[in-house]
Amino acid sequence: MDVSVIIATYNRSESLRLALQSFEAMVVPPELSWELIIVDNNSDDNTKELCNIFQQRNNLPLRCMFERRQGKPFALNRGIGEAKGEILAFTDDDAIVDTHWLTSISIAFSTDVSISVIGGRVEPYNENTITFMTYKERTLLSSPYQLYNPLIIGVNMAFRRNVIEAVGDMDPQFGPGTKIGTCIDLDFIYRVYKSGFKLVYLPDVCVYHNQILRTQKDIQSLNQRYMIGRGAFYCKYI
């Protein structure tokens, strides 16, 4: 297996539907072996039924599993443990992947064996959605200061399996569904950087973010969660 794509989901069946449809629309070279793993993190909406529908359509190499322990790190770690690929790629249940997303990831790792981790561009899905990373220059992460405004974030990242073997799983204290609530990706990327792996931001690896913040209160709440996450991150390492 070349690539395992892992998505953790919780009560977002409608956005997950769009995400899965974007995977069906991807252009994947016939020689590329891959799987798509959806980890349902204890949803009580129709996520299970939706996954069954897409499995029955048989347009995707889809595997669906259930993780009862609440929190995104538990779901991601379950997916990592079940994955068969040499490359582990991650996006979110509210992201729409570019048509060539998987191909771009595969090419990046196969053409430069020194790269261990890549991150990519995150554009807004439409005028109502927020985004995180629209930088359009290839960038090597060579300084910890680059992590303050990170180029590699969880909605669009991939790494070789030996990275997880070296630095360990996602920290269960960070991320959605935990008391801290955010910065699961920052914590992981920092550990990878400190371990000496090569991390590269590649703008050609692109997803479109479909998260809508409807009110100023929504925006303030999101910013507050990220401030709490940053504080917890600094407490852990400083």
PDB file of all heavy atoms in Angstrom, residues 184-200:
ATOM      1  N   ILE A 184      -3.262  20.184  18.153  1.00  0.00           N
ATOM      2  CA  ILE A 184      -2.776  18.818  18.017  1.00  0.00           C
ATOM      3  C   ILE A 184      -1.722  18.728  16.917  1.00  0.00           C
ATOM      4  O   ILE A 184      -0.720  18.019  17.046  1.00  0.00           O
ATOM      5  CB  ILE A 184      -3.947  17.846  17.744  1.00  0.00           C
ATOM      6  CG1 ILE A 184      -3.464  16.403  17.658  1.00  0.00           C
ATOM      7  CG2 ILE A 184      -4.729  18.236  16.500  1.00  0.00           C
ATOM      8  CD1 ILE A 184      -4.588  15.400  17.496  1.00  0.00           C
ATOM      9  N   ASP A 185      -1.921  19.483  15.831  1.00  0.00           N
ATOM     10  CA  ASP A 185      -0.969  19.458  14.736  1.00  0.00           C
ATOM     11  C   ASP A 185       0.315  20.194  15.093  1.00  0.00           C
ATOM     12  O   ASP A 185       1.420  19.729  14.777  1.00  0.00           O
ATOM     13  CB  ASP A 185      -1.587  20.050  13.463  1.00  0.00           C
ATOM     14  CG  ASP A 185      -2.363  21.328  13.708  1.00  0.00           C
ATOM     15  OD1 ASP A 185      -2.403  21.825  14.855  1.00  0.00           O
ATOM     16  OD2 ASP A 185      -2.958  21.845  12.736  1.00  0.00           O
ATOM     17  N   LEU A 186       0.215  21.337  15.776  1.00  0.00           N
ATOM     18  CA  LEU A 186       1.409  22.075  16.191  1.00  0.00           C
ATOM     19  C   LEU A 186       2.286  21.224  17.094  1.00  0.00           C
ATOM     20  O   LEU A 186       3.509  21.177  16.925  1.00  0.00           O
ATOM     21  CB  LEU A 186       0.997  23.363  16.903  1.00  0.00           C
ATOM     22  CG  LEU A 186       2.131  24.192  17.519  1.00  0.00           C
ATOM     23  CD1 LEU A 186       3.099  24.658  16.443  1.00  0.00           C
ATOM     24  CD2 LEU A 186       1.563  25.383  18.293  1.00  0.00           C
ATOM     25  N   ASP A 187       1.681  20.551  18.056  1.00  0.00           N
ATOM     26  CA  ASP A 187       2.447  19.698  18.964  1.00  0.00           C
ATOM     27  C   ASP A 187       3.166  18.594  18.204  1.00  0.00           C
ATOM     28  O   ASP A 187       4.351  18.333  18.437  1.00  0.00           O
ATOM     29  CB  ASP A 187       1.507  19.086  19.999  1.00  0.00           C
ATOM     30  CG  ASP A 187       2.208  18.056  20.866  1.00  0.00           C
ATOM     31  OD1 ASP A 187       2.958  18.458  21.769  1.00  0.00           O
ATOM     32  OD2 ASP A 187       2.010  16.842  20.625  1.00  0.00           O
ATOM     33  N   PHE A 188       2.466  17.959  17.268  1.00  0.00           N
ATOM     34  CA  PHE A 188       3.077  16.861  16.518  1.00  0.00           C
ATOM     35  C   PHE A 188       4.206  17.363  15.617  1.00  0.00           C
ATOM     36  O   PHE A 188       5.305  16.787  15.602  1.00  0.00           O
ATOM     37  CB  PHE A 188       2.013  16.145  15.688  1.00  0.00           C
ATOM     38  CG  PHE A 188       2.554  14.977  14.915  1.00  0.00           C
ATOM     39  CD1 PHE A 188       2.838  13.781  15.552  1.00  0.00           C
ATOM     40  CD2 PHE A 188       2.795  15.087  13.553  1.00  0.00           C
ATOM     41  CE1 PHE A 188       3.353  12.703  14.844  1.00  0.00           C
ATOM     42  CE2 PHE A 188       3.305  14.010  12.836  1.00  0.00           C
ATOM     43  CZ  PHE A 188       3.589  12.821  13.482  1.00  0.00           C
ATOM     44  N   ILE A 189       3.955  18.441  14.879  1.00  0.00           N
ATOM     45  CA  ILE A 189       4.969  18.963  13.964  1.00  0.00           C
ATOM     46  C   ILE A 189       6.202  19.430  14.721  1.00  0.00           C
ATOM     47  O   ILE A 189       7.341  19.262  14.262  1.00  0.00           O
ATOM     48  CB  ILE A 189       4.377  20.100  13.108  1.00  0.00           C
ATOM     49  CG1 ILE A 189       3.331  19.543  12.150  1.00  0.00           C
ATOM     50  CG2 ILE A 189       5.465  20.835  12.330  1.00  0.00           C
ATOM     51  CD1 ILE A 189       3.867  18.511  11.175  1.00  0.00           C
ATOM     52  N   TYR A 190       6.013  20.009  15.898  1.00  0.00           N
ATOM     53  CA  TYR A 190       7.167  20.446  16.689  1.00  0.00           C
ATOM     54  C   TYR A 190       8.022  19.250  17.090  1.00  0.00           C
ATOM     55  O   TYR A 190       9.246  19.290  17.009  1.00  0.00           O
ATOM     56  CB  TYR A 190       6.699  21.206  17.923  1.00  0.00           C
ATOM     57  CG  TYR A 190       7.836  21.688  18.796  1.00  0.00           C
ATOM     58  CD1 TYR A 190       8.663  22.729  18.381  1.00  0.00           C
ATOM     59  CD2 TYR A 190       8.092  21.103  20.038  1.00  0.00           C
ATOM     60  CE1 TYR A 190       9.708  23.170  19.170  1.00  0.00           C
ATOM     61  CE2 TYR A 190       9.132  21.546  20.836  1.00  0.00           C
ATOM     62  CZ  TYR A 190       9.941  22.575  20.397  1.00  0.00           C
ATOM     63  OH  TYR A 190      10.981  23.009  21.189  1.00  0.00           O
ATOM     64  N   ARG A 191       7.388  18.163  17.514  1.00  0.00           N
ATOM     65  CA  ARG A 191       8.145  16.965  17.876  1.00  0.00           C
ATOM     66  C   ARG A 191       8.900  16.404  16.682  1.00  0.00           C
ATOM     67  O   ARG A 191      10.038  15.942  16.803  1.00  0.00           O
ATOM     68  CB  ARG A 191       7.191  15.910  18.444  1.00  0.00           C
ATOM     69  CG  ARG A 191       6.729  16.198  19.864  1.00  0.00           C
ATOM     70  CD  ARG A 191       5.958  15.030  20.443  1.00  0.00           C
ATOM     71  NE  ARG A 191       4.584  14.992  19.980  1.00  0.00           N
ATOM     72  CZ  ARG A 191       3.956  13.899  19.607  1.00  0.00           C
ATOM     73  NH1 ARG A 191       4.585  12.735  19.597  1.00  0.00           N
ATOM     74  NH2 ARG A 191       2.690  13.941  19.236  1.00  0.00           N
ATOM     75  N   VAL A 192       8.264  16.452  15.513  1.00  0.00           N
ATOM     76  CA  VAL A 192       8.926  15.979  14.295  1.00  0.00           C
ATOM     77  C   VAL A 192      10.131  16.856  13.970  1.00  0.00           C
ATOM     78  O   VAL A 192      11.217  16.357  13.647  1.00  0.00           O
ATOM     79  CB  VAL A 192       7.931  15.972  13.115  1.00  0.00           C
ATOM     80  CG1 VAL A 192       8.641  15.635  11.818  1.00  0.00           C
ATOM     81  CG2 VAL A 192       6.809  14.978  13.375  1.00  0.00           C
ATOM     82  N   TYR A 193       9.944  18.171  14.053  1.00  0.00           N
ATOM     83  CA  TYR A 193      11.042  19.100  13.778  1.00  0.00           C
ATOM     84  C   TYR A 193      12.210  18.865  14.740  1.00  0.00           C
ATOM     85  O   TYR A 193      13.372  18.803  14.313  1.00  0.00           O
ATOM     86  CB  TYR A 193      10.542  20.541  13.887  1.00  0.00           C
ATOM     87  CG  TYR A 193      11.653  21.560  13.817  1.00  0.00           C
ATOM     88  CD1 TYR A 193      12.173  21.955  12.589  1.00  0.00           C
ATOM     89  CD2 TYR A 193      12.184  22.105  14.986  1.00  0.00           C
ATOM     90  CE1 TYR A 193      13.217  22.873  12.527  1.00  0.00           C
ATOM     91  CE2 TYR A 193      13.216  23.015  14.929  1.00  0.00           C
ATOM     92  CZ  TYR A 193      13.729  23.402  13.699  1.00  0.00           C
ATOM     93  OH  TYR A 193      14.770  24.309  13.644  1.00  0.00           O
ATOM     94  N   LYS A 194      11.911  18.727  16.034  1.00  0.00           N
ATOM     95  CA  LYS A 194      12.968  18.520  17.027  1.00  0.00           C
ATOM     96  C   LYS A 194      13.707  17.207  16.808  1.00  0.00           C
ATOM     97  O   LYS A 194      14.863  17.063  17.223  1.00  0.00           O
ATOM     98  CB  LYS A 194      12.363  18.551  18.427  1.00  0.00           C
ATOM     99  CG  LYS A 194      11.851  19.915  18.859  1.00  0.00           C
ATOM    100  CD  LYS A 194      12.975  20.893  19.144  1.00  0.00           C
ATOM    101  CE  LYS A 194      13.683  20.565  20.432  1.00  0.00           C
ATOM    102  NZ  LYS A 194      14.742  21.552  20.747  1.00  0.00           N
ATOM    103  N   SER A 195      13.060  16.251  16.144  1.00  0.00           N
ATOM    104  CA  SER A 195      13.697  14.955  15.883  1.00  0.00           C
ATOM    105  C   SER A 195      14.588  14.973  14.647  1.00  0.00           C
ATOM    106  O   SER A 195      15.203  13.960  14.317  1.00  0.00           O
ATOM    107  CB  SER A 195      12.625  13.871  15.737  1.00  0.00           C
ATOM    108  OG  SER A 195      11.899  13.729  16.946  1.00  0.00           O
ATOM    109  N   GLY A 196      14.644  16.101  13.938  1.00  0.00           N
ATOM    110  CA  GLY A 196      15.572  16.252  12.834  1.00  0.00           C
ATOM    111  C   GLY A 196      15.061  15.829  11.470  1.00  0.00           C
ATOM    112  O   GLY A 196      15.847  15.745  10.514  1.00  0.00           O
ATOM    113  N   PHE A 197      13.765  15.601  11.329  1.00  0.00           N
ATOM    114  CA  PHE A 197      13.216  15.226  10.037  1.00  0.00           C
ATOM    115  C   PHE A 197      13.090  16.448   9.125  1.00  0.00           C
ATOM    116  O   PHE A 197      12.979  17.578   9.592  1.00  0.00           O
ATOM    117  CB  PHE A 197      11.842  14.582  10.209  1.00  0.00           C
ATOM    118  CG  PHE A 197      11.887  13.214  10.816  1.00  0.00           C
ATOM    119  CD1 PHE A 197      11.571  13.022  12.164  1.00  0.00           C
ATOM    120  CD2 PHE A 197      12.232  12.110  10.054  1.00  0.00           C
ATOM    121  CE1 PHE A 197      11.602  11.761  12.726  1.00  0.00           C
ATOM    122  CE2 PHE A 197      12.267  10.842  10.610  1.00  0.00           C
ATOM    123  CZ  PHE A 197      11.953  10.670  11.951  1.00  0.00           C
ATOM    124  N   LYS A 198      13.079  16.197   7.833  1.00  0.00           N
ATOM    125  CA  LYS A 198      12.935  17.268   6.841  1.00  0.00           C
ATOM    126  C   LYS A 198      11.455  17.528   6.582  1.00  0.00           C
ATOM    127  O   LYS A 198      10.721  16.626   6.178  1.00  0.00           O
ATOM    128  CB  LYS A 198      13.635  16.887   5.536  1.00  0.00           C
ATOM    129  CG  LYS A 198      13.591  17.977   4.461  1.00  0.00           C
ATOM    130  CD  LYS A 198      14.374  17.559   3.223  1.00  0.00           C
ATOM    131  CE  LYS A 198      14.341  18.630   2.140  1.00  0.00           C
ATOM    132  NZ  LYS A 198      15.125  18.222   0.940  1.00  0.00           N
ATOM    133  N   LEU A 199      11.039  18.779   6.794  1.00  0.00           N
ATOM    134  CA  LEU A 199       9.648  19.181   6.596  1.00  0.00           C
ATOM    135  C   LEU A 199       9.584  20.240   5.503  1.00  0.00           C
ATOM    136  O   LEU A 199      10.356  21.213   5.527  1.00  0.00           O
ATOM    137  CB  LEU A 199       9.049  19.753   7.879  1.00  0.00           C
ATOM    138  CG  LEU A 199       9.041  18.855   9.123  1.00  0.00           C
ATOM    139  CD1 LEU A 199      10.275  19.117   9.983  1.00  0.00           C
ATOM    140  CD2 LEU A 199       7.793  19.123   9.959  1.00  0.00           C
ATOM    141  N   VAL A 200       8.662  20.063   4.562  1.00  0.00           N
ATOM    142  CA  VAL A 200       8.565  20.973   3.426  1.00  0.00           C
ATOM    143  C   VAL A 200       7.105  21.352   3.193  1.00  0.00           C
ATOM    144  O   VAL A 200       6.203  20.501   3.254  1.00  0.00           O
ATOM    145  CB  VAL A 200       9.141  20.325   2.145  1.00  0.00           C
ATOM    146  CG1 VAL A 200       9.015  21.281   0.956  1.00  0.00           C
ATOM    147  CG2 VAL A 200      10.600  19.943   2.352  1.00  0.00           C
TER     148      VAL A 200
END
